[in-house]
Amino acid sequence: VAQAARQRNPRGQGQLLRDQLIEATAHLLATMDRPETLTLRQVAREVGVAPASIYSHFPDLTALTAHVLKLRYDELGSLMNEAAAATASPLAELVARCTAYVRWGVGHPGEYRTVIGGAMPEHMGPLNAHDAGEELLNALARTLAAARRPGGEPTTAEEQWRAGLILWTGLHGLVSLYNSHGNLPWPALDDLLAHLLALHADRAVTEIKNLMPGRTTGKDSPAGLPDCLD
Amino acid sequence: VAQAARQRNPRGQGQLLRDQLIEATAHLLATMDRPETLTLRQVAREVGVAPASIYSHFPDLTALTAHVLKLRYDELGSLMNEAAAATASPLAELVARCTAYVRWGVGHPGEYRTVIGGAMPEHMGPLNAHDAGEELLNALARTLAAARRPGGEPTTAEEQWRAGLILWTGLHGLVSLYNSHGNLPWPALDDLLAHLLALHADRAVTEIKNLMPGRTTGKDSPAGLPDCLD
DNA sequence: TGTACATCAGTGAACGCGCGTTCACTGATGTAC
DNA sequence: TGTACATCAGTGAACGCGCGTTCACTGATGTAC
């Protein structure tokens, strides 16, 4: 893991190191077995810089990590919104959103644990602070309410919120158990998800499966950040 | 946290320290904000003993922690079985099992994270090793299959396993999100659980709620271990 | 065109800390003769 | 009844490690005059 000798950025380009720090932190969080044990010196080593150099750009490791986790959280939200935008019915939107969520979660286990799974100490995660995942959850609850089999009595805002929460617990439980208990005899993930959605949306499993997108083969990281799990 | 001067156990009673180590580890895992950061020296301090003394009884901290986590996992299983034994119908048994699971999980957040939540590194948890929670999960799947509204076509073993897994993801997601995202506007936990079970068992919410036991006020720790959350 | 100075992008050594682990030891208590 | 010895239940000091953070510094590059 010895780095090639890094040369100092030209005058006026101190920002470049900041970007490298962010990229290195993202890479380490994505690939470490236990991302919550990341240290400041590890980041410095990864970039090939003295530990003290980090303080010019971030007050401490917590700030740097929080920045990266916010990026990942926004990335997940964007993925779900993009998946939703390409659909033609409320049920298809629900399936698209949830599929995007679960696939991102199992495709990025390290990030998932740190961003959603509460692995980070208190304030470090984007969710334990101001937002708490409400944005993501609100979109989910709205979509679920629209996708439910029509014909029943109308639901209150409170009921929609509760149903969204319960759906989220299912999605989160699926991702987090799948990632942490790999030695269980798991059926295909898409199959589990389809049954889960069938339950929550009160639809037939086959109807859900027909709406599930194939696995995308393209990159799912924003430009400028490496696709660490390839 | 300074301990009173501990006096050496009498000859032949070296086992006593072993029990104290287990008790102290259990206490720390239960009360620490981040139980996964427990150290050997913390355990030694808690007992009031030199760090080196631990090696007479356990090869290292991993072995000690694994022992305690196994106790907690067995405790959870016993609680669920006891709750199930006191019921009069399959649906009541399902409700009893799941209620016991969720209440234990939110009542013992530290232990839950370490035992079920995958917070411990690899091999340390009782679930990541041989068992993987299959025992608990099998009982759940069986109970769910028996409790489902009768009249549908009979289900295969594979379907029962899948339905049990999906139920477990809901229970686990509920406990783990509830514990780690306390700043969300959560409805009453029992209410969420009732709706969750209504979905999975295909029953009316009120039917579930009528079967839910009241919160027990007695101790739920085995004799000899302190009830740490009182 | 030259030169003094300011700024920038970091460096390198040091600090004190808590950690896991080792090793020779200590002092009380039992047992053999 | 006395005494040498073995065992037991730990102790205490030391080790090397990686950590976060500090502080004075360095050397290249720009700018003012």
XYZ file of all heavy atoms in Angstrom, chain B residues 193-229:
271
model
N -45.832 -2.497 15.663
C -45.688 -3.947 15.632
C -47.015 -4.620 15.262
O -47.041 -5.570 14.473
C -45.203 -4.450 16.993
C -45.066 -5.959 17.119
C -44.129 -6.531 16.072
C -44.599 -6.350 18.525
N -48.107 -4.123 15.810
C -49.421 -4.708 15.508
C -49.720 -4.607 14.012
O -50.187 -5.567 13.392
C -50.502 -4.016 16.329
N -49.427 -3.448 13.433
C -49.668 -3.287 11.997
C -48.755 -4.194 11.178
O -49.159 -4.779 10.172
C -49.483 -1.826 11.588
C -50.680 -0.988 11.864
N -50.949 -0.432 13.087
C -51.728 -0.630 11.072
C -52.077 0.248 13.048
N -52.576 0.149 11.826
N -47.517 -4.288 11.629
C -46.564 -5.156 10.929
C -47.057 -6.602 10.935
O -47.074 -7.289 9.901
C -45.193 -5.051 11.609
C -44.062 -5.891 11.028
C -43.704 -5.391 9.645
C -42.829 -5.844 11.932
N -47.492 -7.068 12.102
C -47.950 -8.450 12.206
C -49.255 -8.665 11.446
O -49.465 -9.730 10.862
C -48.131 -8.824 13.684
C -46.814 -8.953 14.464
C -47.085 -9.256 15.924
C -45.935 -10.019 13.825
N -50.108 -7.658 11.446
C -51.357 -7.768 10.695
C -51.054 -8.019 9.222
O -51.684 -8.858 8.569
C -52.185 -6.503 10.878
N -50.079 -7.299 8.703
C -49.661 -7.488 7.317
C -49.166 -8.912 7.066
O -49.605 -9.585 6.134
C -48.517 -6.536 6.970
C -48.807 -5.178 6.354
C -47.499 -4.538 5.932
C -49.748 -5.320 5.159
N -48.234 -9.335 7.898
C -47.564 -10.609 7.648
C -48.462 -11.805 7.897
O -48.333 -12.839 7.245
C -46.293 -10.710 8.487
C -45.167 -9.866 7.980
N -44.196 -10.346 7.142
C -44.880 -8.553 8.164
C -43.345 -9.369 6.851
N -43.737 -8.274 7.460
N -49.374 -11.687 8.862
C -50.249 -12.816 9.174
C -51.590 -12.702 8.465
O -52.433 -13.592 8.599
C -50.460 -12.912 10.682
N -51.784 -11.611 7.746
C -53.033 -11.381 7.024
C -54.233 -11.403 7.972
O -55.215 -12.101 7.734
C -53.195 -12.439 5.912
C -54.322 -12.067 4.969
O -54.699 -10.886 4.933
O -54.830 -12.974 4.277
N -54.121 -10.648 9.041
C -55.211 -10.527 10.010
C -55.537 -9.062 10.238
O -54.780 -8.176 9.840
C -54.803 -11.143 11.366
C -54.394 -12.581 11.288
C -55.582 -13.462 10.973
N -55.192 -14.862 11.062
C -55.707 -15.709 11.950
N -56.624 -15.312 12.797
N -55.305 -16.964 11.963
N -56.635 -8.831 10.940
C -57.015 -7.460 11.270
C -56.122 -6.946 12.402
O -55.712 -7.707 13.275
C -58.475 -7.399 11.701
N -55.857 -5.650 12.347
C -54.983 -5.048 13.358
C -55.569 -5.218 14.759
O -54.851 -5.522 15.721
C -54.763 -3.552 13.058
C -53.998 -2.888 14.194
C -54.010 -3.386 11.748
N -56.875 -5.053 14.866
C -57.493 -5.136 16.202
C -57.355 -6.539 16.767
O -57.154 -6.711 17.970
C -58.982 -4.760 16.140
O -59.631 -5.598 15.156
C -59.162 -3.315 15.738
N -57.446 -7.521 15.876
C -57.292 -8.900 16.325
C -55.908 -9.112 16.934
O -55.751 -9.778 17.960
C -57.498 -9.840 15.129
C -57.683 -11.296 15.494
C -57.940 -12.160 14.253
O -57.959 -11.606 13.123
O -58.103 -13.372 14.417
N -54.911 -8.535 16.292
C -53.541 -8.635 16.812
C -53.430 -7.921 18.151
O -52.885 -8.452 19.121
C -52.548 -8.003 15.821
C -52.679 -8.623 14.429
C -51.133 -8.108 16.353
C -52.097 -9.981 14.299
N -53.951 -6.718 18.177
C -53.789 -5.901 19.393
C -54.417 -6.584 20.604
O -53.894 -6.499 21.719
C -54.406 -4.516 19.188
C -53.506 -3.598 18.389
C -53.990 -2.154 18.418
C -52.954 -1.238 17.806
N -53.464 0.129 17.563
N -55.539 -7.249 20.387
C -56.185 -7.941 21.504
C -55.324 -9.073 22.046
O -55.509 -9.495 23.191
C -57.542 -8.504 21.058
C -58.575 -7.406 20.888
O -58.445 -6.335 21.490
N -59.577 -7.645 20.049
N -54.426 -9.542 21.227
C -53.585 -10.663 21.662
C -52.263 -10.212 22.262
O -51.510 -11.024 22.814
C -53.313 -11.585 20.465
C -54.509 -12.382 19.955
C -54.183 -13.065 18.647
C -54.931 -13.396 21.006
N -51.971 -8.924 22.134
C -50.667 -8.467 22.621
C -50.655 -8.380 24.136
O -51.521 -7.758 24.727
C -50.315 -7.110 22.014
C -49.817 -7.235 20.589
S -49.285 -5.667 19.881
C -47.974 -5.260 21.005
N -49.653 -8.995 24.750
C -49.550 -8.945 26.211
C -49.176 -7.548 26.669
O -48.568 -6.781 25.927
C -48.414 -9.926 26.503
C -47.599 -9.950 25.269
C -48.547 -9.714 24.132
N -49.589 -7.204 27.909
C -49.162 -5.932 28.481
C -47.690 -5.999 28.767
O -47.084 -7.071 28.766
N -47.117 -4.837 28.984
C -45.688 -4.820 29.308
C -45.463 -5.469 30.665
O -46.104 -5.108 31.640
C -45.149 -3.391 29.352
C -45.260 -2.698 28.023
C -44.334 -1.495 27.974
N -43.976 -1.218 26.591
C -42.923 -1.733 26.011
N -42.126 -2.531 26.685
N -42.640 -1.455 24.758
N -44.565 -6.413 30.715
C -44.276 -7.049 32.002
C -43.462 -6.087 32.850
O -42.658 -5.312 32.343
C -43.457 -8.335 31.810
O -42.280 -8.009 31.082
C -44.250 -9.367 31.059
N -43.703 -6.158 34.152
C -42.963 -5.263 35.034
C -41.847 -5.981 35.774
O -41.013 -5.351 36.398
C -43.900 -4.630 36.069
O -44.568 -5.689 36.763
C -44.938 -3.762 35.400
N -41.882 -7.304 35.701
C -40.881 -8.082 36.448
C -39.522 -8.045 35.786
O -39.319 -7.392 34.760
N -38.610 -8.741 36.395
C -37.253 -8.804 35.847
C -37.258 -9.713 34.617
O -37.991 -10.682 34.556
C -36.291 -9.369 36.887
C -36.271 -8.590 38.185
C -35.355 -9.225 39.192
C -33.931 -8.848 38.963
N -33.691 -7.415 39.052
N -36.416 -9.373 33.658
C -36.305 -10.248 32.500
C -34.877 -10.733 32.315
O -34.498 -11.229 31.289
C -36.790 -9.555 31.226
C -36.015 -8.283 30.969
O -35.162 -7.934 31.795
O -36.257 -7.660 29.938
N -34.051 -10.557 33.354
C -32.695 -11.088 33.281
C -32.625 -12.375 34.087
O -33.338 -12.531 35.072
C -31.701 -10.084 33.853
O -31.691 -8.914 33.072
N -31.758 -13.271 33.690
C -31.635 -14.513 34.435
C -31.029 -14.239 35.813
O -30.331 -13.251 36.008
C -30.671 -15.346 33.589
C -29.935 -14.348 32.767
C -30.867 -13.207 32.549
N -31.322 -15.121 36.747
C -30.805 -14.947 38.100
C -29.281 -14.872 38.069
O -28.627 -15.553 37.292
C -31.243 -16.119 38.975
N -28.737 -14.017 38.893
C -27.286 -13.917 38.973
C -26.720 -12.811 38.106
O -25.590 -12.419 38.266
N -27.517 -12.296 37.200
C -27.052 -11.178 36.397
C -27.888 -9.955 36.740
O -29.099 -10.052 36.897
C -27.192 -11.492 34.897
C -26.082 -12.388 34.361
C -26.434 -12.906 32.992
C -24.790 -11.584 34.308
N -27.258 -8.820 36.840
C -27.993 -7.615 37.224
C -28.916 -7.166 36.104
O -28.617 -7.355 34.930
C -26.872 -6.591 37.439
C -25.771 -7.054 36.554
C -25.860 -8.551 36.524
N -30.027 -6.593 36.458
C -30.949 -6.060 35.457
C -30.486 -4.644 35.148
O -30.900 -3.673 35.771
C -32.372 -6.075 36.010
C -33.373 -6.101 34.876
O -32.958 -5.938 33.722
O -34.551 -6.278 35.160
N -29.629 -4.552 34.161
C -28.849 -3.342 33.992
C -29.624 -2.098 33.607
O -29.157 -0.983 33.795
C -27.779 -3.579 32.937
S -26.698 -4.914 33.409
N -30.771 -2.282 33.022
C -31.473 -1.100 32.498
C -32.526 -0.567 33.438
O -33.332 0.260 33.057
C -32.100 -1.435 31.139
C -31.068 -1.735 30.057
C -31.742 -1.963 28.735
C -30.075 -0.603 29.966
